[in-house]
Amino acid sequence: MSLTTEQVLRIAHLARIEVSESEALTTQAHLNGIFALIEQMQAVDTQGIEPMAHAQNLGQRLRDDVVSESDRRAAFQAVAPETEAGLYLVPKVIE
């Protein structure tokens, strides 16, 4: 698949991008190069190959999911201007 200059200009118009004729030609060459690479990659036989999440088979190092801080809710609400039933009360801003 390859794009014409008119198609590149139409895409730019739809995207509301102003491009000159020379920019359209450069963009056309870049896009056609990308399409050629995609066609090349699609030509590779991948039957029987398992999909991978990453190029290297690495495990993700995660920390243990444990509580690391104490409950300070009461201390935070003690300094709040107004609270009710564990919620912060704020002034009404939208009528």
Side-chain angles (χ1 to χ4, degrees):
M1 174 184 182
S2 63
L3 295 175
T4 65
T5 307
E6 291 78 27
Q7 290 172 323
V8 172
L9 290 171
R10 174 147 170 75
I11 293 168
H13 173 73
L14 292 172
R16 303 295 189 252
I17 300 172
E18 184 178 342
V19 294
S20 66
E21 197 69 34
S22 63
E23 290 173 325
L25 289 172
T26 303
T27 304
Q28 176 190 6
H30 288 158
L31 290 173
N32 286 337
I34 292 170
F35 290 144
L37 179 61
I38 291 171
E39 287 174 358
Q40 227 178 356
M41 291 171 64
Q42 288 178 336
V44 175
D45 181 24
T46 58
Q47 290 292 342
I49 297 176
E50 291 288 322
M52 298 173 59
H54 193 274
Q56 297 177 343
N57 191 17
L58 300 174
Q60 192 172 21
R61 296 185 317 209
L62 300 175
R63 64 176 172 79
D64 292 335
D65 189 15
V66 295
V67 175
S68 60
E69 296 182 14
S70 62
D71 181 13
R72 298 184 50 204
R73 178 179 174 191
F76 291 140
Q77 289 197 344
V79 296
E82 289 187 68
T83 61
E84 182 179 303
L87 303 173
Y88 295 96
L89 300 178
V90 296
K92 187 176 184 178
V93 293
I94 299 176
E95 301 268 343

